[in-house]
Amino acid sequence: MKQNMTMVNKTVWSLSCVCFSLSTLLSLVGIISVIEIYYNVSIYYASLYASIFAGILGFSSLVLPAVFSRFEKKKMIIIILCITIICNLIEMFVSNYYVGVIFRIIPAFTYPIAVSAALTIVGEIKPNDTNKVVLGISSGSILGLSITTYLGLNHGFQMTMIWFVLINALSLLLVVLFIPEFEGNKEPVMIQISHAKSKLFVLSTLFVLLMIIGISITYNYIPLYLSQVTDINGDMLFVTLFLMGLISMFGTILYGYFLQKNTKISIIFYPIGFIIVMFALGTFVRFPFFEFLILMIFSIFDGSIDTVAQYAIISSLPEAPEFANGIYLLLINFSIFLGTMIGGAIIDIISILFIFIGSMISMLLALPFVLARVKFYPDKQ
C-alpha cells in the first residue's frame, strides 16, 4: 500500500513538472526586446511573437482536449513534449521571423491537450492533489518568467530556447519513468460537450469568468501603479514583485487545503475576501509600507484563483473531465485578456486609482453566481 502511494505521489509531481515546463513557454513575454533584436523586427511583431502562444492556446482549449481525450494519455503527453522540444530546437536555429512564428504556434495547439490530460489523470488517482498540478501551471508562468527574463536579457534568445528544451526534456524523462498508462475517454466528443448544458456548469462558468476578470483588472497594472502612485523605487518594486510571485505559489497550495476542509465556505469567501483586499489596496495606495503588506495578502488570492477556478469548473462537469479542463484553460486565458483590456480602459478614461473599483465590481457580479451554485447544488460543494 505504501509503495503504491509512493508511486502515485511520483506520478502527481511528475505531471506537475510537465505543466510547469509547458507553461514556461508563456514566459517569453519577458524578453520582447530580445526577440525584437534577434529577428530584427518592430516591437509590434516582437510582441505578437511572444503573445500569440496564449491566443492560440485559448482557442485550442475549447475543443482539442475533448477531441484527443480518447487516446491513451501517457503516449499523448510524451508525443506533445517531443513536439514542443523539436519546435523549440528549430526556433533556436532559425533566423526567419515567420518560420519562427510557425514553430511558436504549434506547441500552443498541443499545450491544452497535455495539461488537460495531466489534470484528468490526477483527478482519477488522487483528486485532493489536483492543486499540485495547478501549482505547476501557475509557477511555470511565475518562476518561468523570472528565469526566462534573466536568461534572455543576459545571454540572448537562443539561451532561452535551450532553457525551454532542457526543462521539457526533463519532464519527458519523468513521464517515461513515473507515469503509468491511462486509458482515454471513449465517450464521443459531442456527448461530452452536451454535458455543458447543465445549469450548474453555466453558473460555474459565469462565476469563474467574472472572478478572473476581477483579479486581472488590477493584477496586470500593479507595477504601473506602484511606480506612479505609491512611488516605490525600482529596487523595492523588484523585491515586491518577486515576493508576490513566491507568495502566490503558496496561495495555490493553501487554498487547495481550504477547499478540501470546507469547500462551501472557501468558495464563497474567495470573492468576498478579494473585495476586502481591493478596498484596502485602494485606501492605503499612498502608504508604501501598508500597501506592501496588503499586496502580500493580495498575492495569496492571486495564486489561489487557479485552484478555485479549476475546482469550480471540473466539479460542475465530472462526466467530461477533459472537456471541463479545456474550458478551464480557455476561461483563464480569455478572462485575463478581458480583464487587462478593461483595466487599460479604466486607466485611459478615468484614472489608475479606479482599477480597484473595477475589480470590486467584477467580484460583486461574480458573487450571486457562486451563491446560486451553493444553494441549488449543495451536494457538489
Side-chain angles (χ1 to χ4, degrees):
M1 181 68 179
K2 185 176 181 181
Q3 186 176 7
N4 288 338
M5 285 306 299
T6 300
M7 187 61 191
V8 167
N9 288 331
K10 287 180 179 179
T11 299
V12 171
W13 284 113
S14 296
L15 290 169
S16 180
C17 288
V18 168
C19 292
F20 173 86
S21 65
L22 290 172
S23 295
T24 54
L25 272 68
L26 288 161
S27 66
L28 207 64
V29 293
I31 59 165
I32 289 175
S33 60
V34 177
I35 297 170
E36 180 186 10
I37 296 170
Y38 182 79
Y39 284 112
N40 192 25
V41 293
S42 67
I43 192 70
Y44 171 81
Y45 284 101
S47 299
L48 178 64
Y49 188 98
S51 62
I52 198 170
F53 188 94
I56 297 296
L57 185 163
F59 169 76
S60 61
S61 296
L62 183 60
V63 177
L64 293 187
V67 171
F68 285 88
S69 64
R70 64 191 182 92
F71 297 105
E72 196 276 313
K73 292 177 175 55
K74 178 176 180 176
K75 291 178 182 175
M76 281 304 308
I77 294 174
I78 289 174
I79 291 170
I80 288 168
L81 285 170
C82 288
I83 290 172
T84 302
I85 291 168
I86 291 169
C87 287
N88 290 330
L89 282 169
I90 293 173
E91 283 184 83
M92 185 167 64
F93 292 110
V94 300
S95 56
N96 182 281
Y97 174 83
Y98 297 101
V99 175
V101 167
I102 292 172
F103 289 98
R104 171 74 172 155
I105 287 174
I106 292 173
F109 278 107
T110 58
Y111 171 98
I113 302 170
V115 172
S116 176
L119 288 165
T120 302
I121 290 172
V122 176
E124 291 178 6
I125 63 173
K126 202 173 182 184
N128 290 341
D129 277 3
T130 305
N131 66 303
K132 291 179 181 176
V133 179
V134 175
L135 175 64
I137 298 171
S138 58
S139 62
S141 56
I142 296 169
L143 289 182
L145 180 63
S146 59
I147 297 171
T148 298
T149 303
Y150 173 80
L151 291 174
L153 294 178
N154 290 282
H155 302 286
F157 179 80
Q158 291 180 319
M159 182 58 72
T160 302
M161 289 301 112
I162 292 175
W163 152 243
F164 287 168
V165 168
L166 290 176
I167 192 66
N168 280 282
L170 174 60
S171 295
L172 177 61
L173 178 63
L174 293 175
V175 171
V176 172
L177 292 177
F178 300 120
I179 298 181
E181 292 187 353
F182 285 87
E183 288 301 316
N185 184 355
K186 302 304 180 183
E187 188 176 49
V189 175
M190 292 311 298
I191 295 179
Q192 293 184 53
I193 295 175
S194 68
H195 295 307
K197 296 178 181 178
S198 71
K199 183 178 178 181
L200 172 62
F201 177 74
V202 173
L203 289 171
S204 300
T205 298
L206 292 171
F207 166 60
V208 170
L209 180 71
L210 290 166
M211 183 175 64
I212 301 178
I213 287 174
I215 202 165
S216 299
I217 289 173
T218 294
Y219 176 79
N220 294 294
Y221 298 99
I222 283 176
L224 183 63
Y225 102 82
L226 283 178
S227 58
Q228 290 187 358
V229 182
T230 311
D231 199 26
I232 290 180
N233 62 43
D235 291 338
M236 189 60 189
L237 180 61
F238 170 78
V239 171
T240 302
L241 295 176
F242 180 76
L243 288 175
M244 285 179 65
L246 293 178
I247 293 176
S248 67
M249 293 173 61
F250 169 73
T252 303
I253 299 173
L254 180 66
Y255 226 83
Y257 172 79
F258 288 155
L259 283 171
Q260 291 176 33
K261 289 297 181 182
N262 196 319
T263 305
K264 180 179 177 180
I265 292 177
S266 298
I267 201 170
I268 292 175
F269 174 77
Y270 187 91
I272 296 173
F274 187 85
I275 290 168
I276 295 171
V277 172
M278 284 297 97
F279 179 79
L281 276 175
T283 302
F284 294 99
V285 68
R286 299 188 187 280
F287 301 92
F289 176 73
F290 292 108
E291 197 74 347
F292 174 83
L293 294 179
I294 298 167
L295 279 171
M296 297 305 108
I297 301 173
F298 172 91
S299 299
I300 295 176
F301 283 89
D302 173 47
S304 57
I305 193 165
D306 285 350
T307 302
V308 176
Q310 199 273 341
Y311 167 79
I313 296 299
I314 197 67
S315 63
S316 69
L317 209 63
E319 307 88 348
E322 289 90 354
F323 179 67
N325 285 318
I327 294 296
Y328 155 69
L329 294 172
L330 170 66
L331 285 173
I332 286 179
N333 288 277
F334 183 64
S335 302
I336 289 173
F337 169 75
L338 285 180
T340 303
M341 297 304 293
I342 293 170
I346 291 173
I347 293 170
D348 285 342
I349 298 171
I350 311 175
S351 166
I352 194 171
L353 295 174
F354 283 79
I355 56 174
F356 307 114
I357 296 176
S359 290
M360 291 167 66
I361 291 173
S362 187
M363 282 291 176
L364 281 171
L365 292 173
L367 195 55
F369 295 109
V370 71
L371 291 174
R373 174 194 156 105
V374 169
K375 179 180 179 181
F376 294 120
Y377 301 95
D379 58 318
K380 294 291 183 179
Q381 312 312 316

